[in-house]
């Protein structure tokens, strides 16, 4: 994401409200926030950062439809086409007549597909997997600290003093090669 | 933005900061196990191994080693299955239904309640498996042609619905639990100093870093999973009840079963959550997170669902009489006054009578009394399943085949084994997993923490 000659400034906060106010101030100045790391979901942070709404719920709906389709084709293929069975006099000539008995299967597979595929999407989009290197540069951000990474577009010194003013407890130029 | 009405009591007591929550949650993981843990763990392990022995004996010799006979073909195995699945329901109810209702008090108990769900569904799933007799034929329940020939599974059968319901329920509960655990594992990873421990939690935490976009997706995923898990949990016990309700046995063939089973499941599940959490909060000194208020809330749920179950019992009796079907009438008369009267009246006392004590605030805020009632309720709910299953079967249409059921040591051994297995899993969990969803809990500290609420109150007074 970041080009090689870009300078990133790290600002560490110890309070979510101060962080949120800081994010708003930095954005008002027209500066680009590269990332914010927080120990818990800070309410309103995504809006303050200008992040788009996630579409993962729409994906889950699609996966649910896929599960429903799977259940319908499975019951139809196995119990109507391939080997119709007369069980307890339940009509098995057409799928429609037999459908009430298939509702539990249809429901369960809808939920199964929606839940699992959504979670896989969540892992895939976040690029998180077992054994993945910790994505947060500062280990304190899973405890009680909040880290904002700002892209410096002009005077780095000025940016650093601005971040200090917003209430950051530590401000430093990021030398790490992550991102 | 962190405002909460002052009338609501704080959910986090003590003068806590974000860092304090971290320390309190991580303490059991970072410290070594106390002697009491080892004693309880050893007992549970012995019970578990005894159960494993009985299961292996059953598989080797066949289910003829159980007390089943020609008349009573289902007994303890299915009783235990329904009992364990029912216990599992409370975990999903707390984490999913209470999330949808925005009940903040769920946050300090949902992790352990979900763990309980997963561990009890594991116990439940054992029973249909071993009751098959020939467990190596278990793949018959999968939608593949039997014997790889041409005959498919029967999608009309409630027993197959059960396979789909339980496996969906189990696997969805596991991912729901795990997604919530990832940020908490990341917290333990970032604190770990021992290399092995750090490596294990690095794997478990999936590299989670708490990026803003990731939290946004995390919250959406949690919400959608809760939305999916809510109808799912209701469907599971509904389908379990259909194993009975779709048959034509008097005492089983009733339309009241699905709601009645679901209410009973919530009832027994909350009782088990109480049993476990009263111990957890004491042993891990988490009284400031799992407060008396949490226990009171759960007692109210127990009181409500216990009353629903009571109404269901009485409705069943009324409908049996009102239906005019003499077989149905006899089935219920036999339950209450027949040779299994003691099981029926134990069920009535434990499930209908005992939760009524919770109307008294003094009793429902008493830890000792709650613990006592939680055990009573679980005994009662086991009897409920036993009554439904065994007393409906033991006197069938042909009086010459009437019989009684008495369990063998194998029946008892397997049941005790599952209790042992459950506690083995829960005790291991309690020492290695964050037992409170700390990331989630930190989001309500400023609105529901004791110190912040006091601060809020002072500001309010200052305004006037």
């Amino acid at each position: 994401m970041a080009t090689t000659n870009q300078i990133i400034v790290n600002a560490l906060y110890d309070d979510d409200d101060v962080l949120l106010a800081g994010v708003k101030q930095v954005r008002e100045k027209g500066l680009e926030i590269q990332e914010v790391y927080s120990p818990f979901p800070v309410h309103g942070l995504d809006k303050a950062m200008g992040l788009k709404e996630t579409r993962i719920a729409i994906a889950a709906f699609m996966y649910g439809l896929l599960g429903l389709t799977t259940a319908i084709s499975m019951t139809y293929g196995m119990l109507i086409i391939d080997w119709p069975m007369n069980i307890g006099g339940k009509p098995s000539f057409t799928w429609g007549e037999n459908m009430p008995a298939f509702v539990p299967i249809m429901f369960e597979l809808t939920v199964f597909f929606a839940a699992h595929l959504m979670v896989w999407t969540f892992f895939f989009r976040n690029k998180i997997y077992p054994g993945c290197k910790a994505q947060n540069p500062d280990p304190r951000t899973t405890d009680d600290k909040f880290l904002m990474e700002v892209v410096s577009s002009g005077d780095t010194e000025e940016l650093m003093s601005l971040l200090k003013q917003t209430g950051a407890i530590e401000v430093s130029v990021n030398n790490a090669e992550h991102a | 933005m962190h405002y909460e009405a002052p009338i609501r009591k704080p959910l986090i007591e003590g003068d806590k900061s974000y860092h304090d929550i971290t320390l309190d949650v991580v303490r059991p993981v970072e410290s070594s196990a106390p002697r009491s843990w080892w004693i309880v763990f050893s007992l549970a392990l012995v019970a578990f191994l005894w159960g494993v022995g009985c299961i292996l004996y059953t598989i080797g010799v066949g289910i003829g080693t159980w007390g089943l006979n020609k008349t009573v073909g289902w007994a303890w195995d299915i009783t235990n299955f329904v009992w364990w699945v029912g216990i599992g329901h409370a975990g999903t109810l707390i984490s999913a239904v209470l999330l949808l209702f925005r009940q903040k008090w769920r946050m300090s108990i949902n992790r352990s309640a979900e763990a309980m769900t997963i561990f009890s569904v594991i116990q439940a799933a054992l029973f249909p498996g071993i009751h098959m007799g020939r467990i190596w034929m278990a793949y018959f329940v999968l939608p593949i042609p039997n014997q790889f020939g041409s005959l498919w599974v029967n999608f009309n059968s409630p027993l197959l619905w059960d396979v789909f319901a339980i496996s969906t329920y189990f696997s969805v509960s596991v991912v729901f639990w795990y997604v919530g655990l990832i940020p908490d594992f990341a917290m333990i990873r970032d604190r770990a100093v021992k290399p092995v421990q750090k490596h294990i939690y690095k794997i478990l935490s999936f590299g989670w870093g708490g990026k803003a976009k990731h939290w946004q997706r995390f919250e959406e995923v949690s919400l959608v999973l809760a939305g999916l898990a809510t109808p799912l949990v209701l469907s599971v016990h509904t389908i379990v009840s259909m194993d009975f309700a779709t048959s034509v046995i008097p005492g089983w063939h009733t339309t009241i079963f699905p709601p009645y089973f679901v209410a009973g499941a919530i009832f027994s599940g909350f009782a088990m959550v109480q049993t476990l959490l009263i111990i957890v909060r004491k042993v891990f000194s988490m009284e400031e997170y799992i407060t008396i208020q949490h226990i009171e809330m759960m007692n109210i749920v127990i009181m409500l669902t216990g009353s629903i179950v009571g109404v269901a019992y009485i409705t069943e009796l009324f409908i049996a009489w009102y239906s005019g079907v003499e077989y149905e009438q006899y089935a219920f008369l036999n339950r209450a006054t027949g040779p299994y009267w003691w099981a029926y009246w134990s069920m009535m006392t434990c499930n209908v009578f005992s939760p009524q004590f919770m109307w008294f605030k003094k009793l429902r805020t008493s830890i000792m009394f709650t613990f006592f009632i939680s055990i009573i309720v679980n005994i009662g709910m086991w009897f409920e399943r036993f009554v439904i299953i065994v007393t409906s079967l033991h006197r069938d249409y042909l009086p010459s085949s009437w019989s009684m059921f008495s369990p063998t040591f194998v029946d008892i051994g397997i049941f005790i084994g599952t209790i042992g297995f459950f506690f083995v899993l829960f005790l291991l969990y309690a020492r290695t997993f964050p037992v409170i969803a700390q990331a989630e809990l930190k989001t309500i500290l400023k609105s529901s923490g004791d110190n912040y609420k006091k601060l809020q109150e002072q500001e309010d007074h200052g305004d006037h």
Side-chain angles (χ1 to χ4, degrees):
Chain A
M1 195 154 83
T3 52
T4 41
N5 50 7
Q6 221 173 16
I7 297 167
I8 310 283
V9 179
N10 285 355
L12 196 74
Y13 294 85
D14 62 355
D15 188 89
D16 45 336
D17 294 325
V18 180
L19 164 85
L20 205 57
V23 167
K24 282 175 187 158
Q25 276 185 346
V26 170
R27 291 261 303 164
E28 273 165 21
K29 288 270 189 308
L31 291 159
E32 189 197 335
I33 296 174
Q34 181 166 289
E35 192 57 78
V36 173
Y37 301 90
S38 62
F40 55 83
V42 178
H43 187 72
L45 180 64
D46 49 349
K47 285 208 175 63
M49 284 173 69
L51 295 177
K52 282 187 204 147
E53 272 184 41
T54 170
R55 292 167 298 172
I56 205 158
I58 301 167
F61 182 75
M62 300 294 179
Y63 298 144
L65 286 183
L66 179 68
L68 183 63
T69 316
T70 308
I72 292 171
S73 2
M74 200 160 79
T75 47
Y76 181 68
M78 292 176 189
L79 241 64
I80 305 296
I81 302 280
D82 195 43
W83 195 289
M85 280 188 278
N86 182 350
I87 290 142
K90 285 171 187 154
S92 58
F93 304 109
T94 65
W95 185 83
E97 285 173 299
N98 210 159
M99 189 274 284
F102 300 151
V103 168
I105 302 287
M106 285 152 64
F107 172 75
E108 298 300 336
L109 285 187
T110 306
V111 170
F112 187 89
F113 274 63
H116 287 286
L117 293 177
M118 175 179 64
V119 171
W120 282 100
T121 309
F122 173 71
F123 292 156
F124 187 77
R125 292 287 293 154
N126 291 353
K127 297 191 181 67
I128 57 174
Y129 51 88
C132 169
K133 192 172 156 287
Q135 290 176 347
N136 48 333
D138 189 326
R140 290 173 292 176
T141 61
T142 51
D143 177 6
D144 61 346
K145 299 290 186 286
F146 305 79
L147 181 69
M148 172 161 63
E149 291 179 342
V150 188
V151 180
S152 166
S153 48
D155 189 355
T156 308
E157 291 296 319
E158 196 185 298
L159 173 62
M160 286 175 81
S161 64
L162 169 77
L163 289 171
K164 275 249 164 61
Q165 273 171 25
T166 62
I169 53 164
E170 277 175 33
V171 178
S172 59
V173 175
N174 184 356
N175 313 312
E177 284 177 22
H178 77 281
Chain B
M1 61 177 289
H2 296 299
Y3 180 77
E4 187 185 75
I7 195 165
R8 291 189 185 276
K9 277 182 250 157
L11 293 170
I12 305 166
E13 289 172 354
D15 192 17
K16 299 289 177 194
S17 67
Y18 292 135
H19 187 60
D20 293 333
I21 296 182
T22 304
L23 290 180
D24 290 337
V25 172
V26 88
R27 194 183 311 114
V29 180
E30 288 180 349
S31 60
S32 57
R35 184 193 292 268
S36 58
W37 185 89
W38 283 108
I39 293 169
V40 181
F41 183 75
S42 312
L43 286 173
L45 195 65
V46 169
F48 170 47
L49 291 176
W50 176 247
V52 170
C54 289
I55 288 173
L56 290 177
Y57 183 56
T58 301
I59 293 170
V61 181
I63 55 170
T65 54
W66 296 355
L68 302 177
N69 53 51
K70 187 172 72 61
T71 313
V72 186
W74 270 9
W76 275 37
D77 49 335
I78 306 298
T79 302
N80 299 339
F81 163 72
V82 181
W83 188 67
W84 278 118
V85 177
I87 286 172
H89 276 51
T92 319
L93 209 92
I94 289 169
S95 56
V97 180
L98 297 185
L99 189 151
L100 294 184
F101 285 127
R102 303 255 180 251
Q103 292 295 310
K104 289 176 184 171
W105 60 275
R106 79 174 192 284
M107 285 180 187
S108 45
I109 55 171
N110 60 2
R111 175 68 42 74
S112 295
E114 275 178 70
M116 178 201 76
T117 294
I118 289 158
F119 302 150
S120 59
V121 174
I122 291 173
Q123 310 315 320
L126 274 173
F127 286 100
I130 53 177
H131 196 182
M132 283 175 189
R134 286 176 282 177
I135 198 160
W136 50 95
M137 294 293 196
Y139 69 88
F140 265 47
V141 304
L142 301 174
I144 48 174
N146 291 352
Q147 301 189 317
F148 305 108
S150 45
L151 191 66
W152 297 94
V153 288
N154 174 16
F155 289 113
N156 292 296
S157 164
L159 296 176
L160 189 74
W161 301 345
D162 232 5
V163 173
F164 277 78
I166 301 287
S167 41
T168 304
Y169 182 50
F170 178 70
S171 63
V172 171
S173 298
V174 170
V175 294
F176 194 9
W177 191 51
Y178 203 85
V179 168
L181 273 165
I182 285 175
D184 294 358
F185 279 143
M187 179 274 283
I188 301 180
R189 171 201 67 202
D190 288 344
R191 286 180 49 87
V193 278
K194 291 181 210 144
V196 177
Q197 198 187 32
K198 196 164 188 83
H199 191 70
I200 290 170
Y201 286 105
K202 181 186 157 195
I203 295 171
L204 289 174
S205 66
F206 282 30
W208 179 264
K211 293 183 180 179
K213 187 72 189 172
H214 295 185
W215 276 123
Q216 187 197 37
R217 292 194 186 116
F218 177 92
E219 289 201 291
E220 190 80 354
V221 165
S222 306
L223 185 66
V224 175
L225 279 178
L228 288 168
T230 300
L232 178 65
V233 67
L234 300 182
S235 85
V236 173
H237 232 56
T238 299
I239 291 174
V240 168
S241 82
M242 284 172 181
D243 291 348
F244 305 98
T246 57
S247 72
V248 288
I249 306 288
W252 288 4
H253 190 57
T254 57
T255 48
I256 200 180
F257 262 25
Y260 155 33
F261 268 53
V262 171
I266 297 164
F267 179 55
S268 64
F270 268 86
M272 188 60 111
V273 174
Q274 294 278 37
T275 313
L276 295 174
L277 286 184
I278 286 175
I279 300 171
V280 165
R281 75 194 282 275
K282 181 81 197 154
V283 174
F284 295 148
S285 344
M286 286 182 174
E287 286 97 339
E288 284 165 332
Y289 300 99
I290 303 163
T291 63
I292 298 288
Q293 196 193 349
H294 287 91
I295 288 169
E296 188 183 355
M297 296 280 201
M298 288 193 279
N299 277 336
I300 293 172
V301 176
I302 289 176
M303 180 178 80
L304 176 72
T305 48
S307 306
I308 294 174
V309 168
V311 170
Y313 293 162
I314 294 161
T315 309
E316 262 191 332
L317 287 177
F318 172 76
I319 294 295
W321 166 74
Y322 190 64
S323 68
V325 181
E326 53 190 280
Y327 300 107
E328 192 76 16
Q329 287 171 345
Y330 180 72
F332 282 90
L333 197 67
N334 182 46
R335 270 186 199 179
T337 60
Y340 282 114
W341 65 270
W342 48 272
Y344 184 82
W345 292 107
S346 311
M347 163 189 106
M348 277 290 188
T349 318
C350 298
N351 294 351
V352 186
F353 183 65
S354 72
Q356 301 310 321
F357 286 111
M358 298 302 181
W359 287 100
F360 302 101
K361 192 171 174 87
K362 207 178 173 81
L363 292 175
R364 68 170 182 261
T365 49
S366 152
I367 303 285
M368 284 310 287
F369 188 74
T370 303
F371 189 75
F372 172 69
I373 288 290
S374 74
I375 304 280
I376 292 291
V377 165
N378 269 311
I379 295 171
M381 284 310 288
W382 190 88
F383 271 113
E384 181 201 293
R385 279 65 186 250
F386 179 81
V387 164
I388 291 172
I389 293 161
V390 174
T391 65
S392 303
L393 287 175
H394 87 120
R395 288 191 165 175
D396 61 3
Y397 292 104
L398 201 63
S400 64
S401 59
W402 285 5
S403 78
M404 296 290 283
F405 172 82
S406 59
T408 63
F409 81 93
V410 186
D411 282 298
I412 300 166
I414 294 174
F415 180 48
I416 290 172
T418 55
I419 295 174
F421 191 13
F422 176 80
F423 279 99
V424 164
L425 291 173
F426 197 84
L427 287 164
L428 288 175
Y429 149 83
R431 291 229 57 88
T432 50
F433 280 45
V435 294
I436 287 180
Q438 54 91 27
E440 221 183 343
L441 198 68
K442 284 172 184 170
T443 64
I444 62 159
L445 178 66
K446 284 193 175 176
S447 60
S448 309
D450 198 7
N451 42 345
Y452 286 95
K453 279 193 85 98
K454 277 187 190 129
L455 216 63
Q456 180 78 43
E457 212 169 321
Q458 278 166 13
E459 280 172 28
D460 284 354
H461 284 298
D463 291 345
H464 297 304

